[in-house]
Amino acid sequence: MGHFDHILAPTKVRSFSPNMNSTIGNGSEVILPTWLAQYETVESITCGALHTLVLTTNGRIFSCGFGETFALGHGTVKTIPIFEEINYFKDKSLKINKIAAGTSHSGCIVNNHAYLWGTCGNYKALQFKTPTFIDYDLDVSNIVMGDFLTVFLNTKLEAFTMGENIDGQMGCPGSANLLPKKINIPHKIDYIDCGLNHVIVLCNSRVFAWGSNRRGQIHPKNNQQFFESPIELTWIFDSLPLTIHCGPQTTHLISKQPIELSEKMSQEVSNYAVLKKEMENEKIYKKIG
């Protein structure tokens, strides 16, 4: 937008509007500049926590916003209030299929290969100052991002994760995935989405999830803080989910009929909470003893 002021209403980004005449104070007309070439339009937009990416129909990527995590792809930590093209992707042979933005990193799919840039985790191997090809045989068809979390879906309909594992968001035991690691789900995956630290996948109307449950974003009636391996959300199967989407710490489901928790399931959740508390008390007792 060219400034750092708050904007409280939808405002046209003129740098992505066609060249247009505008009247200035003295009554004369000027042509406002635009990033778009003739017949070029904006194809998609994605937003991270503090930065924005734009992909055009000519296969160009632009970014603006907070730059201190290298999430803008320009190789600097400069924060910029106007969109600038990421020079790395000016090569016309690169076919950009999708762009994605997380809290402090960004990425895209190019010819079914993954490119990442920014701070994808605290490990040095997860920090990329400029767009970096992830040299891993993935054949990527989709990519979504959270906070130090990147989830890939390949053309074989398998899910892979990369990043930190603070809340089990890698879907497997361990401290971090420095390279994409396959998630063990015994079904082909049709759809993936993630919040900051939780992941939802849809497999022919069957829903699996893993990661943070601190706000009940995976299982609203379960006190477990996180799930480090995928669990099937059988309690929503009968609702025939049409689509599912993750907010930062929420999950939203559109279904054909209301979801009702059975008494049996509620009792199982209650029993789990009691058992977990007893186990914690037992650990404390043994430590004191």
Side-chain angles (χ1 to χ4, degrees):
M1 301 298 293
H3 57 77
F4 292 95
D5 300 331
H6 297 300
I7 300 176
L8 304 181
T11 303
K12 180 182 288 186
V13 181
R14 294 190 177 276
S15 57
F16 288 112
S17 299
N19 276 317
M20 56 187 298
N21 294 337
S22 179
T23 302
I24 58 178
N26 58 12
S28 60
E29 289 189 343
V30 296
I31 297 178
L32 296 176
T34 177
W35 277 113
L36 300 178
Q38 189 175 17
Y39 306 118
E40 184 180 19
T41 59
V42 172
E43 182 172 293
S44 64
I45 300 170
T46 185
C47 297
L50 297 170
H51 70 289
T52 305
L53 300 181
V54 170
L55 174 65
T56 74
T57 51
N58 282 9
R60 298 194 292 163
I61 301 179
F62 297 81
S63 64
C64 76
F66 187 71
E68 291 186 18
T69 63
F70 295 99
L72 301 186
H74 304 302
T76 71
V77 293
K78 182 180 179 181
T79 294
I80 55 176
I82 59 174
F83 283 97
E84 291 186 6
E85 184 176 0
I86 300 178
N87 292 326
Y88 185 94
F89 298 106
K90 282 189 173 182
D91 184 352
K92 298 302 180 183
S93 67
L94 299 177
K95 172 57 179 176
I96 300 173
N97 306 110
K98 184 182 178 180
I99 53 176
T103 299
S104 57
H105 67 302
S106 306
C108 66
I109 302 173
V110 179
N111 300 334
N112 292 116
H113 296 295
Y115 286 77
L116 299 180
W117 58 95
T119 304
C120 307
N122 289 316
Y123 290 81
K124 187 175 181 180
L126 292 172
Q127 298 174 5
F128 310 103
K129 294 183 178 180
T130 57
T132 302
F133 169 58
I134 304 304
D135 191 8
Y136 198 87
D137 187 19
L138 275 181
D139 205 15
V140 184
S141 63
N142 197 7
I143 179 174
V144 293
M145 296 182 168
D147 181 19
F148 291 172
L149 166 66
T150 304
V151 187
F152 308 95
L153 181 67
N154 68 6
T155 55
K156 294 180 181 179
L157 303 182
E158 301 166 325
F160 294 75
T161 58
M162 180 176 174
E164 300 280 359
N165 204 24
I166 301 168
D167 276 332
Q169 61 265 43
M170 292 297 99
C172 55
S175 58
N177 290 349
L178 304 184
L179 287 173
K181 186 171 183 178
K182 183 181 175 181
I183 302 303
N184 185 24
I185 296 179
H187 305 282
K188 291 185 177 181
I189 298 170
D190 302 311
Y191 171 82
I192 59 172
D193 200 9
C194 71
L196 290 176
N197 287 323
H198 76 290
V199 182
I200 298 285
V201 301
L202 192 60
C203 310
N204 191 25
S205 296
R206 300 178 70 171
V207 182
F208 293 80
W210 65 88
S212 176
N213 191 50
R214 298 180 186 277
R215 299 296 179 90
Q217 56 265 58
I218 290 178
H219 200 315
K221 295 294 184 179
N222 195 317
N223 294 324
Q224 189 165 338
Q225 295 288 292
F226 62 87
F227 299 92
E228 67 175 2
S229 298
I231 63 168
E232 184 175 1
L233 306 188
T234 55
W235 52 279
I236 63 175
F237 179 75
D238 291 337
S239 67
L240 299 176
L242 297 176
T243 186
I244 195 164
H245 173 71
C246 297
Q249 299 183 78
T250 58
T251 302
H252 309 273
L253 172 72
I254 299 177
S255 64
K256 292 184 178 181
Q257 57 192 43
I259 298 173
E260 296 182 4
L261 298 181
S262 67
E263 292 184 5
K264 178 182 178 182
M265 176 186 157
S266 299
Q267 185 62 42
E268 287 175 351
V269 172
S270 177
N271 291 341
Y272 173 82
V274 172
L275 178 60
K276 182 180 178 184
K277 186 66 177 178
E278 290 178 351
M279 291 174 65
E280 290 176 349
N281 291 339
E282 181 70 15
K283 289 180 181 179
I284 293 174
Y285 174 78
K286 287 183 177 180
K287 186 175 181 181
I288 294 175

